[in-house]
Amino acid sequence: MENREPEYVHGYDERESQRLQAQAGSVLDLLHADAAYPRGSRVLEVGCGTGAQTLTLARNNPAVRIVAFDGAASSLALARARVRAAGLGNVEFLHADLFALPFSEQSFDHVFVCFVLEHLIKPHEALVLLQRLLKPGGTITVFEGDHGSTYFHPHSDAACKAISCQVELQRRAGGNALIGRQLFPLLSGAGFADVRVSPQIVYVDASRPALVEGFTKKTFTAMIEGVRERAVAAGIIDAASFDAGIRALYRTAENDGVFCYTFFKGVGVRTASTAVR
Amino acid sequence: MENREPEYVHGYDERESQRLQAQAGSVLDLLHADAAYPRGSRVLEVGCGTGAQTLTLARNNPAVRIVAFDGAASSLALARARVRAAGLGNVEFLHADLFALPFSEQSFDHVFVCFVLEHLIKPHEALVLLQRLLKPGGTITVFEGDHGSTYFHPHSDAACKAISCQVELQRRAGGNALIGRQLFPLLSGAGFADVRVSPQIVYVDASRPALVEGFTKKTFTAMIEGVRERAVAAGIIDAASFDAGIRALYRTAENDGVFCYTFFKGVGVRTASTAVR
């Protein structure tokens, strides 16, 4: 989407796409577990990217009409191919910018937003706009991470510094890698009612080998590793310090290590009385 | 217990006792929800303090014989009075040091440890010792916090500094306020089998007013406030900076604020093959 920074902080390459898939597989079941919409609903997926969530949404909701949009044409093409390959016919894709959507007010029953607000310069304005697209009684579901929720054993200042490179790059691009904890004030502040936020902690130790591989290594540490060149080029950190931080993150994936990260899911309702602002 | 630092970091006064009760009421239901032991079991509660957990344990397990010990005679007197006032007859209290308990090997079916390891200079040795007291197949249940799991909105460096005073004082006293995340390596390293750690995140926003009062203000912030004099006297922080941090913590309890903290529960089993070391 054009309101993401010009250079999407996570990049668009194949490795990144694989990372997002691993992430989706190991963690996002939590999100989709209760994103089952009534038959005949019209659902808007905001910033669908390469379709990682679209696929699950469409599979779990065969009798629901989904409109999925993104501002990045190349991602959208991947999403479209992926959904077609799965034989799913209930998704309409749209190449569009969030702030210039071709829908009139109250066009949707539900809105689904996953890993998008963190990249927006104006998340409040985006939520106000999305609320207008909902019918009264319609719901928004938002899922975001929070890099400030990361801690691990053994603790390592070097690892914290490497993580802070990602946070800083995202901040410079106008985004917010600490947005998960803010879902309640963001949704409430945009006028949604009955806002309910639930954290989903991903706790990883050696008794959960699939998460050690799929989350600590292939999702989180791979994501941080992915900003190495940009962080060094931007003068945020030197290469040796960054690499020490990455080694310390991989260290937490050993047999006596522990890694913790928390995602936040927020749900809000558009009330009949919500005035258009 | 004598293995706590000579000056127990949380203090022993009435305010502290009330804080622990508020904490027990609002959060620890999570812990006790599955601390239901089979009829006739013999359960050891380690470091029962003023009996906050003892009361719930004894109520939830009327057909279980509980032995609760602590090294602090004054706390133990409070615990005894509290359990007697509740009309519970299934608890035997003992004034004893953890490393000089008058029990032979395999004396207990279950061991229960809540907010104790964080104060021990030698948590590994304590766990090895407790394992010996268990019968083969017996379980240990450990519940600990982790101050490094704290984050909030609005973020505040001053608040982080105030929290770090508590962490540093506890560290100087030989304890570890970041021990929650270490339960898996600690229990595994002491030889317990089938170690399973589950985090319990306490997420607080304005939609949960009981937690705003009972946790953010009266449990966590009150605990940090409680180390003000010692932190200033120890030269860790100046009074004005500390007070700014406390104000920032209270700020997170306002309508648009969010506060997060995570407790960890660890369970392990003594296997028949566990050799005494």
Side-chain angles (χ1 to χ4, degrees):
Chain A
M1 301 184 319
E2 276 132 58
N3 277 79
R4 288 178 174 171
E5 67 280 16
E7 306 259 336
Y8 179 44
V9 72
H10 300 312
Y12 290 103
D13 64 7
E14 186 51 26
R15 183 181 180 185
E16 169 63 12
S17 178
Q18 284 174 0
R19 185 189 70 78
L20 288 174
Q21 278 179 264
Q23 177 172 271
S26 66
V27 176
L28 291 167
D29 295 345
L30 300 164
L31 165 62
H32 289 284
D34 52 1
Y37 298 113
R39 170 177 292 271
S41 303
R42 195 166 144 88
V43 175
L44 179 68
E45 187 190 356
V46 177
C48 64
T50 61
Q53 307 321 313
T54 319
L55 203 63
T56 310
L57 260 187
R59 264 203 196 110
N60 292 353
N61 295 279
V64 159
R65 292 166 300 153
I66 299 166
V67 175
F69 76 91
D70 203 283
S74 56
S75 298
L76 208 62
L78 279 172
R80 199 187 300 266
R82 189 185 270 185
V83 165
R84 193 184 294 139
L88 295 160
N90 55 337
V91 185
E92 178 189 333
F93 286 98
L94 182 71
H95 183 205
D97 178 75
L98 171 57
F99 288 95
L101 288 173
F103 303 114
S104 54
E105 219 189 309
Q106 305 193 8
S107 294
F108 293 93
D109 298 293
H110 303 284
V111 170
F112 182 92
V113 188
C114 182
F115 303 147
V116 172
L117 295 187
E118 61 164 328
H119 299 296
L120 300 182
I121 293 166
K122 297 186 170 180
H124 169 79
E125 287 74 3
L127 290 171
V128 168
L129 180 157
L130 291 171
Q131 191 180 199
R132 285 191 194 133
L133 297 183
L134 278 172
K135 297 175 188 165
T139 66
I140 188 169
T141 301
V142 181
F143 200 69
E144 298 285 344
D146 189 318
H147 292 0
S149 74
T150 314
Y151 52 95
F152 30 80
H153 174 73
H155 175 76
S156 154
D157 287 337
C160 292
K161 279 186 190 128
I163 295 168
S164 71
C165 292
Q166 157 93 49
V167 175
E168 177 60 14
L169 284 169
Q170 199 158 337
R171 193 192 65 76
R172 291 186 188 183
N176 179 1
L178 313 177
I179 205 165
R181 74 189 74 175
Q182 297 183 34
L183 290 189
F184 181 81
L186 276 170
L187 289 167
S188 304
F192 285 98
D194 298 332
V195 175
R196 195 79 194 157
V197 172
S198 36
Q200 309 273 17
I201 188 167
V202 182
Y203 168 82
V204 187
D205 65 30
S207 72
R208 310 174 191 224
L211 283 175
V212 172
E213 278 304 307
F215 193 79
T216 304
K217 292 183 181 177
K218 291 191 178 149
T219 297
F220 189 83
T221 306
M223 172 185 68
I224 300 300
E225 262 187 304
V227 304
R228 183 182 190 274
E229 272 63 47
R230 270 171 296 159
V232 171
I236 300 172
I237 197 167
D238 64 275
S241 300
F242 188 88
D243 294 343
I246 296 298
R247 281 195 303 276
L249 285 173
Y250 280 115
R251 169 68 185 84
T252 72
E254 290 180 22
N255 270 347
D256 61 346
V258 172
F259 187 89
C260 299
Y261 187 93
T262 300
F263 292 94
F264 291 82
K265 187 178 69 174
V267 178
V269 180
R270 174 171 183 172
T271 57
S273 62
T274 305
V276 178
R277 302 146 201 234
Chain B
M1 302 186 317
E2 275 131 54
N3 279 78
R4 287 177 175 173
E5 66 281 19
E7 306 256 338
Y8 180 45
V9 71
H10 300 313
Y12 289 102
D13 63 6
E14 185 52 26
R15 182 182 182 184
E16 170 62 12
S17 178
Q18 284 174 2
R19 184 188 72 78
L20 288 174
Q21 279 180 263
Q23 178 173 272
S26 66
V27 176
L28 292 167
D29 295 345
L30 300 164
L31 166 62
H32 289 285
D34 52 0
Y37 298 112
R39 169 177 293 272
S41 303
R42 193 166 146 88
V43 176
L44 179 69
E45 187 191 357
V46 177
C48 63
T50 62
Q53 307 321 313
T54 319
L55 203 62
T56 309
L57 261 187
R59 266 205 194 108
N60 292 352
N61 295 281
V64 158
R65 293 164 300 152
I66 299 165
V67 175
F69 75 90
D70 203 283
S74 56
S75 298
L76 208 64
L78 279 171
R80 198 189 300 266
R82 189 185 270 186
V83 164
R84 193 184 294 139
L88 295 160
N90 54 337
V91 186
E92 178 189 333
F93 286 98
L94 181 71
H95 184 204
D97 178 76
L98 170 57
F99 288 93
L101 289 173
F103 304 114
S104 54
E105 220 190 311
Q106 306 193 8
S107 293
F108 294 92
D109 298 291
H110 303 284
V111 169
F112 182 92
V113 187
C114 182
F115 302 148
V116 171
L117 294 189
E118 60 164 329
H119 299 296
L120 300 183
I121 294 167
K122 298 186 170 180
H124 169 79
E125 288 74 3
L127 290 171
V128 168
L129 180 156
L130 291 170
Q131 191 179 199
R132 285 191 196 133
L133 296 183
L134 277 170
K135 298 175 188 166
T139 65
I140 187 168
T141 301
V142 181
F143 201 69
E144 298 285 343
D146 189 317
H147 292 359
S149 74
T150 314
Y151 51 96
F152 31 78
H153 174 74
H155 174 76
S156 155
D157 287 338
C160 292
K161 279 187 190 127
I163 294 168
S164 71
C165 291
Q166 157 93 50
V167 174
E168 176 60 15
L169 284 169
Q170 199 157 336
R171 193 192 64 77
R172 291 186 188 183
N176 179 1
L178 313 177
I179 205 166
R181 74 189 72 172
Q182 297 183 33
L183 290 189
F184 181 82
L186 276 169
L187 288 166
S188 304
F192 286 99
D194 298 333
V195 175
R196 194 80 195 157
V197 172
S198 35
Q200 309 273 15
I201 188 167
V202 182
Y203 166 83
V204 188
D205 65 31
S207 72
R208 310 174 191 224
L211 282 176
V212 172
E213 277 305 307
F215 192 79
T216 305
K217 292 183 180 176
K218 290 191 178 150
T219 296
F220 188 83
T221 306
M223 172 186 70
I224 301 300
E225 261 187 304
V227 303
R228 183 182 191 274
E229 273 64 47
R230 268 172 296 157
V232 172
I236 301 173
I237 198 169
D238 65 274
S241 300
F242 188 89
D243 294 344
I246 295 299
R247 281 195 303 275
L249 285 173
Y250 280 117
R251 169 68 185 84
T252 71
E254 290 181 21
N255 271 346
D256 62 347
V258 172
F259 187 89
C260 299
Y261 187 92
T262 299
F263 293 94
F264 291 82
K265 186 177 68 174
V267 178
V269 179
R270 175 170 183 173
T271 56
S273 62
T274 306
V276 177
R277 304 149 200 232

